[in-house]
Amino acid sequence: MTAEGLTAAVDTRSQVAAFERKKRPVIVQWATAVVAIAFLVFVVVGFIQGNINWSTVGQYLFSPAVFEGLLNTVWMTFLAMGIAIVVGTGMAIMRITPNAVLQRVSKFYIWFFRGIPQLLQLYLWYNLALIFPTLGIPGVLSVNTIDIMTPLLATALGLGLCQAAYVAEVVRAGIISVDQGQVEAAESIGMKYSQVLARVVLPQAMRVIIPPVGNYFISMVKLTSLASAIQFSEMLYNVQTIYFVNGQVMELLIVAAFWYLIVITVLTSVQGRIETYFSKGTVRTVTKKKPKNRHKTGA
Amino acid sequence: MRESNDYIVDARNITKDFGDFRALDDVSLQVKQGEVVCILGPSGSGKSTLLRCLNHLERPNEGAVWIDNDLIGYKEENGVLRELSSAALAKQRTKLAMVFQRFNLFGHRTALENVTEGPVQVLGVSQAEAKRKALELLKRVGLSDKAKNYPNALSGGQQQRVAIARALSMEPTVMLFDEPTSALDPELVGEVLHVMKSLAQSGMTMVVVTHEIGFAREVADRIVFMDEGKVVLDDTVTEVLNSTNPRARDFLDAVL
Ligand SMILES: Nc1ncnc2c1ncn2[C@@H]1O[C@H](COP(=O)(O)OP(=O)(O)OP(=O)(O)O)[C@@H](O)[C@H]1O
Ligand SMILES: [Mg+2]
């Protein structure tokens, strides 16, 4: 090729390089969208044409009984998760202490409560009176088990203590994820064991602990529905009570499903915020001027 | 009973085993008020282990350590040494401050919070007072403008200087340094050594494990040379650096 020919080629190429650009057609994506919409239409039409009385759904959506069920579901979720987090964290700490007895107790706990189906555990607590007719401190205090083991307490214990076994494993994983150097630094400035845990180890373990515990929270909202089996008046139990009378089964199940989705949507957004809070110090944070092109880690 | 003496650090006949392996073999170390002692020795010779025994991060199998005439980790009672509670040990540790090779700053706390944590949580100083002093300390290590940075937004040298400020915040009687510059890029070593030199000049009692012979030559009152878990030499800087001991010679010729 001559020198002139080369220059000409370069010139054409500069023109080509400046051509307008077109993205590849996203046929697959469009096809997927069409299938998804078709499916959605099919389902919606099914629901509309089907034998569903939508005015009944509307009527019960904000009814006192459903509202009571919703409240009980929400507060039972927090109660059971509260128990799960407190007991689970305790078990995780027992597991990492040098005390061999405590370690065994923790292992046994996790083995036991993880091994039995949750519904069965609810029945066990609810029927505790069959094994221990009275509870209390011998000679000081004694109550009839049947009086205190209400559906509420049985549900809180059944769901909370079982979930605690899962929380314990997650917290332990979180604690192990914190570098041993952090513990040594804390000890070297004279912190007591409890301070080392509370101020140095657990806060840094949170980053690992929060996402799975958030998921447990969301599962717990749904798990509370198991308590309908022992007459705890959470949402499912309350709508069942209604449809046993009026026979509008699908309508009331839709009402319940609607509220479960609302609660879970709210919890999911809260989870995101908490995760951001505990990622403090893991995302590069500089106070003053904007850093030159520092990329974020994690988050 | 041992009468009190004027050693700030008095470690007597320390032996430390890890399983079958003897990491420290009958090691003694005495440091007086205001003295700077550098510990040299090849990798695996037990330098870190000795330092960790001083503040009881490692529990010696035999021997005992007195810091400022305080027996560390035990109570002497009718001819036996009774183990102290972890709370009592924690209290004793406030006299010793340690600076680590890998900094170990609290990752979830800003530079400032790293420095106020000990005074507030351990010494019971008020937040405001602790903050005022922390800012002073950060200024002393040249990091006033980085107070609000989290450790991951600080360079290695800056992190180590915050770690020194954190150690100083406890107003320790003696400071222990375990290879404080060996995780740093060469150009960052100077800033940390500079802070350490000024500390030494201010009269701080220091025990420093280091490979920085230059630093030892300049500020150390004494050099301890260790090998295979034993103290081989414990003498003035000139004596050790010019020693004809073959093991010390091998090591020194390699690093000098
Ligand atoms: N927790 C432990 N378990 C078992 N062995 C250990 C433990 N800690 C230290 N050792 C061993 O004890 C010996 C001394 O270790 P040490 O960390 O004190 O060496 P060092 O002189 O500080 O070395 P370096 O210059 O590489 O830091 C090494 O052989 C090491 O493998
Ligand atoms: Mg070492």
Side-chain angles (χ1 to χ4, degrees), chain B residues 100-126:
Chain B
F100 300 86
Q101 183 173 359
R102 283 171 50 243
F103 330 132
N104 297 347
L105 288 182
F106 303 133
H108 60 312
R109 305 235 181 263
T110 62
L112 182 70
E113 290 164 349
N114 263 280
V115 185
T116 55
E117 185 72 4
V120 172
Q121 297 301 324
V122 178
L123 303 179
V125 175
S126 76

Side-chain angles (χ1 to χ4, degrees), chain A residues 129-144:
Chain A
L130 299 178
I131 319 170
F132 302 106
T134 60
L135 292 175
I137 309 155
V140 183
L141 176 87
S142 171
V143 288
N144 287 327

Side-chain angles (χ1 to χ4, degrees), chain A residues 15-26:
Chain A
Q15 284 165 11
V16 172
F19 279 177
E20 187 198 347
R21 276 142 221 262
K22 283 231 164 88
K23 287 226 167 71
R24 275 177 67 81
V26 272

Side-chain angles (χ1 to χ4, degrees), chain A:
Chain A
M1 211 184 250
T2 63
E4 280 151 50
L6 190 69
T7 325
V10 167
D11 282 349
T12 343
R13 285 195 178 171
S14 335
Q15 284 165 11
V16 172
F19 279 177
E20 187 198 347
R21 276 142 221 262
K22 283 231 164 88
K23 287 226 167 71
R24 275 177 67 81
V26 272
I27 297 171
V28 177
Q29 200 170 317
W30 280 109
T32 323
V34 168
V35 172
I37 289 169
F39 181 73
L40 204 64
V41 168
F42 172 77
V43 172
V44 170
V45 169
F47 268 87
I48 293 172
Q49 291 183 336
N51 205 3
I52 289 168
N53 191 346
W54 288 100
S55 68
T56 312
V57 173
Q59 180 197 334
Y60 281 106
L61 204 52
F62 299 101
S63 72
V66 168
F67 195 63
E68 187 212 4
L70 174 65
L71 267 183
N72 279 341
T73 289
V74 169
W75 108 265
M76 178 53 74
T77 299
F78 280 89
L79 183 59
M81 280 311 290
I83 293 175
I85 289 169
V86 171
V87 175
T89 307
M91 287 296 152
I93 291 170
M94 278 161 70
R95 190 67 190 278
I96 55 152
T97 55
N99 186 325
V101 178
L102 291 182
Q103 282 175 21
R104 299 263 155 80
V105 169
S106 164
K107 268 189 186 166
F108 175 82
Y109 182 96
I110 292 167
W111 170 78
F112 185 83
F113 283 92
R114 231 171 30 171
I116 302 174
Q118 267 142 325
L119 185 56
L120 201 156
Q121 291 192 35
L122 286 184
Y123 285 135
L124 284 180
W125 285 108
Y126 195 46
N127 296 303
L128 195 67
L130 299 178
I131 319 170
F132 302 106
T134 60
L135 292 175
I137 309 155
V140 183
L141 176 87
S142 171
V143 288
N144 287 327
T145 309
I146 213 151
D147 295 336
I148 57 159
M149 199 47 79
T150 56
L152 182 133
L153 185 62
T155 307
L157 289 175
L159 295 180
L161 293 180
C162 176
Q163 197 65 55
Y166 292 89
V167 172
E169 288 295 83
V170 166
V171 172
R172 188 168 74 99
I175 289 174
I176 292 172
S177 78
V178 178
D179 182 38
Q180 180 64 19
Q182 295 285 311
V183 176
E184 293 183 356
E187 286 184 341
S188 79
I189 59 169
M191 282 190 173
K192 289 182 290 196
Y193 190 61
S194 56
Q195 288 176 311
V196 177
L197 270 180
R199 298 207 46 97
V200 176
V201 176
L202 286 177
Q204 294 188 82
M206 283 301 176
R207 211 164 38 85
V208 173
I209 295 172
I210 294 282
V213 168
N215 290 340
Y216 291 161
F217 239 101
I218 284 161
S219 310
M220 185 57 82
V221 175
K222 295 169 289 172
L223 276 178
T224 54
S225 65
L226 287 180
S228 61
I230 57 168
Q231 287 99 50
F232 175 60
S233 64
E234 46 69 55
M235 190 141 55
L236 184 62
Y237 181 79
N238 281 13
V239 300
Q240 281 176 336
T241 317
I242 301 169
Y243 71 59
F244 284 148
V245 175
N246 69 7
Q248 313 257 37
V249 178
M250 233 346 167
E251 288 76 3
L252 281 146
L253 289 181
I254 289 172
V255 167
F258 172 82
W259 283 117
Y260 280 119
L261 283 174
I262 295 291
V263 172
I264 279 163
T265 307
V266 172
L267 282 183
T268 307
S269 84
V270 173
Q271 180 186 15
R273 267 160 227 216
I274 296 179
E275 275 173 30
T276 314
Y277 175 79
F278 279 106
S279 69
K280 194 167 64 153
T282 60
V283 178
R284 278 198 169 236
T285 358
V286 181
T287 35
K288 280 184 185 164
K289 282 171 240 140
K290 245 186 154 184
K292 298 164 248 146
N293 223 356
R294 289 254 166 85
H295 62 276
K296 291 186 171 186
T297 51

Side-chain angles (χ1 to χ4, degrees), chain B residues 47-48 101 178-179 209:
Chain B
K47 308 179 297 291
S48 297
Q101 183 173 359
D178 191 2
E179 300 195 31
V209 174

